[in-house]
Amino acid sequence: MSGRHPRTAWITGLLTAVAAGVMPAAPAHAVVGEDAKDGTYAFTAKLDIGGKRSCSGALVDDQWVLTAASCFADDPGQGFKIAAGAPKLKTTVTVGRTNLTASTGAVVEGVELVPRTDRDAVMVRLAKPVTGVAPVALASTAPAQGEELRVAGYGRTRDTWVPDRLHTGTFTVDSTTGTTLGLSPKSPAEAAVCKGDTGGPALRVKDDRVELAGVNSLSWQGGCLGTDASETRRGAVDTRVDDLSDWMQQFTARDLLPKAKWANADLLATGYFTGGSAGGKRHMDLIVRWSDGSVTLYQGADHDNPKYPFSAEYKLAAAGSVWKHARTMSGGSFTGSGSDGLVVRWVDGELTEYTHVDAKGFHGEKTLRPAKSKPWESAKLVTVGRYTANALRDDLIVVWDSGKVSLYSDIDTNGVGKETELTKANSTWTHAEQISAGSFTGKGTNDLLVRWSDGEGTIYPGVDAAGFHGEIKIREPKSAWTKADLVTAGAFGANTVPNDIIVRWESGSLSLYPGVDKAGTHAEVKLVG
């Protein structure tokens, strides 16, 4: 396995670190560890850095590899501090090849480095996404003393400078600090982390689940080719990664939204569809119906950086699906389970509830109102929110074509309940273009966000069955919001009040306004465009 001698900072008297290197190739017939079976741990990457160094790594996103920062240091013996940006030397990354002589996987250039400052770790952005290779999941808990980890890499073996196969070994966790893991070999007993294994993954393997718990950083290299024969120590130090999820998401999500053509987004719905409801860490998700009838779910992030509010993308419906017939959709809680569902009003007037939506699709379909039912064919705008005291089920607010506004309490699988008329038919509400439930003022019930046809933006605080209780103008008439095609509210930057607002502009750009309150919208964060 790969690595370098440990730094003196690890244990008093340890040898000075030396660079992970590349030597002339020789046939492989033995390893310091075990050959991995073809296709095993395909997410493991080999990095060639300027033809001068070789390291290992792990694909953690389709366009990002996590490895050791010291691989890119001018002098690894002096530490792992490196500059962010393009690598100084051309970096070629091979992913998905247990056997390097095979043609599977991909060979891609590494074009950007994003290093940590507190530990030997760096994210390497690839020039293009890798397809056909599943990234490895990050462990969410620290390895415990005595726990076994499977360590992998493409580094030297006992008698081969440059092996052409991935090799692995089982190591035991001897110690854990805030940023490192101390390891010793278990199986085979002669396993070691050698040059070329630096940055390779240390894996928690349990049942059918594999998680990335660390990356190779330092080792004694006992038994590795090129190491003094008198060196028998085989211990290693790995960098902990189980607490890096928030940091990694901010970079892996950078290219997430621009992949979509946002001028073609025509319906938005927000909710806690994939987890992270009240008390959880993950923020709200966003469901998008595109003009071709396809549907995408963007999973909310775990970190609080509003610039990258989503961490993953899931396709829920393909182009040309029945979803092209949806006229409105809104997310909310209907079962009290903490996992949100969706209410959809179709063009034929049918009203449908999906009790739960997740990354796999739509579940628990219930018809609340049949097709061509009166008056639902004339429902112009629909939003779901908590407008009554029922803690289990959300409510519906509907703006009709006539300008009447209605509240339907406690949506469940039996229907939409009894109507409470909040306003009679009028000319004012016919100019409402977008409505969204949100929590901006901290009232006992949700607020209602309205975008009007003249560009005015209004928040109605604490709407309930008694009606509207004042209004807060957050955008004046003839503001830039005349060009806001879609507006929705939710907790995208943090699970806090006040909520945020997302705006999709007619130009196809996308903006987020964090923490909107009675003072209005705050600094705009450009998400797309």
Side-chain angles (χ1 to χ4, degrees):
M1 325 275 222
S2 76
R4 302 172 306 284
H5 294 303
R7 293 193 302 273
T8 56
W10 177 32
I11 298 177
T12 302
L14 291 193
L15 301 177
T16 304
V18 296
V22 175
M23 295 291 184
H29 56 275
V31 297
V32 183
E34 302 170 335
D35 281 346
K37 295 180 180 179
D38 287 344
T40 306
Y41 311 132
F43 48 76
T44 307
K46 179 172 182 178
L47 289 78
D48 181 290
I49 303 171
K52 298 180 178 181
R53 297 180 186 171
S54 177
C55 281
S56 302
L59 188 74
V60 292
D61 179 79
D62 61 3
Q63 203 165 349
W64 291 87
V65 164
L66 181 64
T67 185
S70 51
C71 291
F72 298 91
D74 293 336
D75 182 0
Q78 299 303 310
F80 53 78
K81 301 293 186 181
I82 62 172
K88 292 182 179 180
L89 300 175
K90 182 177 179 179
T91 299
T92 303
V93 182
T94 302
V95 183
R97 294 183 183 175
T98 307
N99 184 341
L100 294 174
T101 65
S103 59
T104 55
V107 179
V108 187
E109 184 176 356
V111 295
E112 181 186 3
L113 305 179
V114 182
R116 287 284 297 194
T117 59
D118 65 338
R119 68 193 74 183
D120 189 10
V122 64
M123 293 281 282
V124 181
R125 183 170 67 87
L126 307 179
K128 61 181 180 180
V130 173
T131 59
V133 179
V136 63
L138 205 65
S140 59
T141 58
Q145 186 174 2
E147 183 175 350
E148 295 179 5
L149 299 177
R150 195 74 176 172
V151 178
Y154 290 98
R156 296 180 189 178
T157 70
R158 181 186 306 117
D159 53 7
T160 305
W161 289 118
V162 186
D164 57 13
R165 292 192 67 88
L166 178 70
H167 48 276
T168 70
T170 300
F171 284 68
T172 301
V173 178
D174 297 328
S175 60
T176 301
T177 73
T179 58
T180 64
L181 304 169
L183 306 178
S184 60
K186 178 180 181 181
S187 175
E190 69 273 16
V193 173
C194 303
K195 289 185 178 182
D197 290 324
T198 304
L203 305 166
R204 174 183 284 145
V205 182
K206 187 175 182 180
D207 299 325
D208 295 328
R209 181 171 176 80
V210 178
E211 298 178 334
L212 181 63
V215 297
N216 302 328
S217 178
L218 306 168
S219 79
W220 284 107
Q221 301 187 66
C224 300
L225 187 60
T227 302
D228 192 299
S230 65
E231 180 57 74
T232 60
R233 290 168 293 185
R234 299 173 184 271
V237 173
D238 271 32
T239 298
R240 272 183 59 183
V241 301
D242 56 276
D243 59 342
L244 297 185
S245 176
D246 289 2
W247 173 72
M248 290 168 53
Q249 279 187 9
Q250 297 181 57
F251 306 107
T252 59
R254 287 191 319 186
D255 300 321
L256 185 64
L257 295 180
K259 294 177 183 177
K261 298 179 180 178
W262 282 87
N264 296 322
D266 56 9
L267 289 178
L268 304 178
T270 63
Y272 292 106
F273 303 112
T274 62
S277 56
K281 188 176 181 183
R282 185 181 298 165
H283 309 321
M284 272 191 177
D285 311 311
L286 179 70
I287 292 178
V288 184
R289 198 284 301 272
W290 309 94
S291 57
D292 63 1
S294 60
V295 181
T296 302
L297 186 152
Y298 291 99
Q299 179 177 291
D302 294 336
H303 58 78
D304 292 343
N305 187 340
K307 191 174 182 180
Y308 309 113
F310 306 110
S311 61
E313 173 185 1
Y314 301 98
K315 296 293 185 183
L316 301 188
S321 74
V322 67
W323 284 86
K324 65 184 178 181
H325 300 299
R327 183 172 178 184
T328 71
M329 63 181 191
S330 185
S333 175
F334 311 120
T335 63
S337 66
S339 184
D340 285 349
L342 206 64
V343 166
V344 181
R345 209 281 277 170
W346 307 90
V347 292
D348 61 1
E350 181 179 335
L351 193 70
T352 303
E353 174 194 318
Y354 297 91
T355 58
H356 173 52
V357 181
D358 58 22
K360 297 181 179 180
F362 307 94
H363 310 282
E365 180 179 353
K366 305 291 182 181
T367 299
L368 302 181
R369 285 290 187 273
K372 298 182 180 180
S373 62
K374 301 295 183 182
W376 288 91
E377 289 178 297
S378 62
K380 178 183 178 182
L381 304 172
V382 178
T383 192
V384 177
R386 187 61 49 82
Y387 294 109
T388 65
N390 191 322
L392 295 179
R393 295 188 297 273
D394 281 353
D395 316 296
L396 275 182
I397 286 183
V398 182
V399 178
W400 307 94
D401 289 339
S402 65
K404 184 177 74 169
V405 182
S406 300
L407 169 65
Y408 292 88
S409 303
D410 303 339
I411 307 165
D412 60 25
T413 56
N414 296 318
V416 293
K418 181 181 179 181
E419 177 189 12
T420 299
E421 190 176 89
L422 301 183
T423 69
K424 296 185 179 297
N426 63 87
S427 59
T428 299
W429 280 86
T430 61
H431 295 288
E433 294 294 327
Q434 300 284 331
I435 63 172
S436 179
S439 295
F440 304 107
T441 64
K443 300 292 185 181
T445 53
N446 279 162
D447 310 314
L448 182 67
L449 171 67
V450 183
R451 199 269 295 180
W452 305 92
S453 59
D454 64 357
E456 181 180 331
T458 305
I459 291 174
Y460 292 92
V463 179
D464 55 27
F468 299 101
H469 309 283
E471 64 179 58
I472 301 168
K473 189 180 294 185
I474 60 171
R475 278 292 185 269
E476 295 292 332
K478 300 183 180 179
S479 75
W481 278 32
T482 56
K483 300 182 181 299
D485 272 2
L486 299 174
V487 175
T488 192
F492 307 113
N495 288 325
T496 57
V497 177
N499 281 177
D500 316 312
I501 293 176
I502 284 180
V503 178
R504 200 275 285 170
W505 306 94
E506 63 182 24
S507 64
S509 61
L510 196 70
S511 298
L512 183 144
Y513 295 91
V516 178
D517 55 25
K518 62 183 180 181
T521 56
H522 299 279
E524 176 186 16
V525 177
K526 279 286 188 182
L527 302 180
V528 177

